[in-house]
Amino acid sequence: MSALNQDYGTSLSWIAVDWGTSNLRVWAMDDNANILGSVESPLGMNAIAGDPKLSFEAVLIGLIDGWLADDAVGLPVVICGMAGAKQGWLEAPYCDVPSRPTDLAKGAVKPDVRDPRISVFILPGLCQRGDSDVMRGEETQLVGFMAAHPDFAGWVCLPGTHSKWARIADGKITAFRTYMSGEVFALLSQHSILRHSVDDGWDDATFADAVRAARTQSTTFLHSLFGVRAAALVAPAGTTVAPGASVLSGTVIGTEIADVLGLLQRGENIALIGAGKLASLYQAALAVHGHKATPQDGAAITLSGLARAYATLVSTSKEN
């Protein structure tokens, strides 16, 4: 999608970009973090990396050209996500945990650009060296969350194909863990023997029971998986069998949550960033164990994180 032909004049102070693997979102921003306009595109990192005719700068300019005044010089463009990956625009080396929001902003890299109207800053991701792990993009959501909840201490969950859980304490991201729950569910429900037992049927109580069992019987994960299939095969004729999707989802998500609950320290909380059905499932699974976590809008929090990075970059520029 092309940007609207809208020249925001002196109101436009900077541009925020969330460049994902499959798509990107761009916002025109004023100096008070107000949104002047926005645009989305399916040209994520994979599409650009797979097409030699495309370049990151050309795609970006194609989206924002109508926002830029002809005499603009070096308008800041702050980008998070996969533009900083090895296959992206320019690799932004990971920052190590523990890390403060200012550390991430100061770790931004600046690719060379042909268009003098913009100056691009690509934010780094986070890495963990002991219990090896990486994230790229989610850290900006965490920064946005921290801006809104400066006193939060505990774990923040970001559900997805590869769910992220990050521990926040004393204004720092101190540790994080990635769980392949979404991918495991997709593989098992679509490409394993369990596909014969997983359909569109769903039962909330069955899901909750599976979540509960995953914590109390944490060592039986692999055995529990086959039970999704076996239950349907041994049930007496005419008996209602618990929906396989509910059991499988509860088992997978429940196992993930059980692991995190084992790390939760006294006085720490759990927060949830996301939207849609998946976030609702995590909310329900946490409720099984007595944790109330209302899903918070990921797009708004991402933008807040980008705004905080922009403020740090401006401050650093003035100091230099």
Side-chain angles (χ1 to χ4, degrees):
M1 180 186 298
S2 298
L4 297 176
N5 186 18
Q6 175 67 56
D7 181 358
Y8 295 109
T10 56
S11 297
L12 179 63
S13 296
W14 64 288
I15 291 173
V17 182
D18 178 10
W19 213 313
T21 302
S22 304
N23 52 63
L24 73 150
R25 295 173 292 181
V26 186
W27 297 269
M29 308 293 295
D30 71 10
D31 232 357
N32 295 313
N34 295 313
I35 301 174
L36 303 175
S38 63
V39 64
E40 296 185 17
S41 167
L43 294 177
M45 181 198 69
N46 280 351
I48 298 173
D51 189 338
K53 297 179 181 179
L54 294 176
S55 72
F56 282 86
E57 181 176 354
V59 168
L60 178 63
I61 293 299
L63 293 171
I64 67 174
D65 190 54
W67 297 348
L68 302 173
D70 292 338
D71 60 351
V73 177
L75 186 78
V77 178
V78 183
I79 303 176
C80 70
M82 299 307 292
K86 286 185 178 181
Q87 302 82 7
W89 191 339
L90 176 66
E91 184 176 6
Y94 293 108
C95 286
D96 286 79
V97 293
S99 181
R100 296 184 180 275
T102 51
D103 297 332
L104 288 161
K106 292 176 181 178
V109 297
K110 292 188 64 178
D112 294 329
V113 295
R114 295 181 179 181
D115 195 317
R117 295 177 297 172
I118 61 172
S119 182
V120 175
F121 300 85
I122 301 176
L123 300 174
L126 274 177
C127 73
Q128 185 170 265
R129 309 236 177 226
D131 178 14
S132 300
D133 215 327
V134 295
M135 68 167 67
R136 194 177 289 279
E138 295 90 352
E139 74 293 325
T140 302
Q141 291 186 314
L142 294 171
V143 169
F145 174 84
M146 294 166 71
H149 305 86
D151 298 323
F152 180 87
W155 289 83
V156 180
C157 175
L158 301 97
T161 302
H162 297 157
S163 296
K164 304 287 185 181
W165 288 78
R167 185 175 183 271
I168 294 173
D170 301 321
K172 295 179 288 187
I173 303 168
T174 64
F176 63 96
R177 297 170 79 87
T178 301
Y179 295 86
M180 294 177 59
S181 303
E183 184 171 357
V184 167
F185 179 85
L187 289 171
L188 292 174
S189 62
Q190 299 171 24
H191 302 290
S192 79
I193 194 173
L194 302 187
R195 70 186 185 278
H196 301 298
S197 303
V198 175
D199 54 25
D200 295 332
W202 186 266
D203 181 71
D204 289 337
T206 297
F207 173 79
D209 287 343
V211 168
R212 195 173 294 109
R215 190 178 187 188
T216 58
Q217 304 169 16
S218 58
T219 60
T220 66
F221 176 70
L222 295 178
H223 172 63
S224 298
L225 291 179
F226 191 73
V228 175
R229 178 61 178 158
L233 296 177
V234 302
T239 302
T240 301
V241 179
S246 302
V247 180
L248 178 58
S249 181
T251 300
V252 173
I253 293 176
T255 299
E256 171 186 335
I257 288 177
D259 186 52
V260 176
L261 292 180
L263 302 171
L264 198 66
Q265 298 179 15
R266 183 184 297 275
E268 289 188 332
N269 298 305
I270 292 178
L272 183 59
I273 298 175
K277 180 180 179 181
L278 184 59
S280 296
L281 289 178
Y282 275 77
Q283 181 182 24
L286 286 167
V288 168
H289 297 301
H291 292 276
K292 183 179 180 181
T294 302
Q296 302 184 43
D297 181 63
I301 288 180
T302 297
L303 192 51
S304 176
L306 286 165
R308 188 165 181 181
Y310 168 69
T312 300
L313 289 167
V314 170
S315 176
T316 302
S317 176
K318 289 179 179 179
E319 292 174 0
N320 295 335

